[in-house]
Amino acid sequence: MGKLNNKGKNKLIEMTLEGVRIELPTKKPILLLKERAGRRYLPIWVGAFEASAIALEISKIKTPRPMTHDLIVNILKGLNIKLDAIEVCDIKENTFYANLSLKSLNNQSIKVDSRPSDAIAIAVREKCKIFSAEHVLLQAGIEIQTIEDEVEKFKDFLEHVKPEDFNK
């Protein structure tokens, strides 16, 4: 469900990470976020390194040495700072912006500017919530019809169709 950010201006929508894909024909990696309580998706093109870091964590593959995102998580834990959530907070000229929402030991809220790919790579490691600002979803989100949606529409059609509907 959505919530309001600190300024009360932008509604935040909870998202889930659907995965990392390769977009064809460009062969560029893309993160696909899905609205938790809806049907909108947010595709975010990312770099190969970030896509790999996210895919490795999703697949539960551990590297012999910490990757950059693991290092960041280790630093936060060492400083007793908790990652509450990440927020894809803006889009300007086709560039996405994100924040890490941190909570210090004395319960102070801290926002740290981040690229969405880095924020999501850290979020999957910390298993924290991912949000998108409503205006970002309105600007860059897409609604994908699932096969289940199409089957439901067809069942509804069959339940209500009459023979005279076929007369022209």
Side-chain angles (χ1 to χ4, degrees):
M1 306 295 179
K3 71 172 188 171
L4 294 180
N5 71 6
N6 293 349
K7 296 176 187 169
K9 292 180 182 174
N10 294 324
K11 183 178 180 183
L12 295 176
I13 308 299
E14 188 172 352
M15 309 293 285
T16 59
L17 176 61
E18 290 293 300
V20 180
R21 310 278 193 271
I22 300 297
E23 193 247 347
L24 298 174
T26 65
K27 297 185 180 173
K28 290 187 179 177
I30 186 170
L31 297 178
L32 194 58
L33 299 178
K34 181 187 179 296
E35 185 177 23
R36 182 175 290 281
R39 295 183 358 202
R40 293 180 292 179
Y41 289 80
L42 186 62
I44 302 175
W45 283 262
V46 299
F49 174 75
E50 294 80 7
S52 295
I54 293 165
L56 285 171
E57 186 64 27
I58 290 171
S59 301
K60 300 191 185 322
I61 297 171
K62 296 295 177 199
T63 56
R65 299 290 299 140
M67 295 180 70
T68 304
H69 302 101
D70 301 313
L71 173 65
I72 292 168
V73 167
N74 292 341
I75 291 170
L76 292 175
K77 285 181 180 175
L79 296 172
N80 289 315
I81 296 174
K82 180 183 183 305
L83 178 62
D84 274 346
I86 68 113
E87 303 164 4
V88 179
C89 57
D90 209 355
I91 181 171
K92 295 176 189 166
E93 298 176 15
N94 294 322
T95 299
F96 289 91
Y97 294 80
N99 285 319
L100 300 174
S101 292
L102 305 172
K103 190 82 66 169
S104 70
L105 191 58
N106 62 358
N107 235 12
Q108 179 184 2
S109 292
I110 305 163
K111 297 266 188 194
V112 178
D113 182 34
S114 174
R115 296 183 307 172
S117 55
D118 291 326
I120 291 168
I122 295 167
V124 295
R125 284 160 172 75
E126 286 295 280
K127 296 167 184 49
C128 75
K129 291 186 177 184
I130 300 170
F131 292 96
S132 172
E134 175 70 24
H135 76 274
V136 173
L137 270 173
L138 289 173
Q139 188 174 338
I142 56 174
E143 197 166 308
I144 298 174
Q145 291 293 99
T146 65
I147 195 75
E148 291 82 13
D149 294 335
E150 293 301 316
V151 168
E152 217 35 61
K153 283 184 195 172
F154 187 63
K155 284 180 182 177
D156 187 55
F157 167 77
L158 290 176
E159 288 177 11
H160 298 97
V161 71
K162 301 179 210 105
E164 51 271 15
D165 291 337
F166 294 101
N167 292 339
K168 290 190 178 190

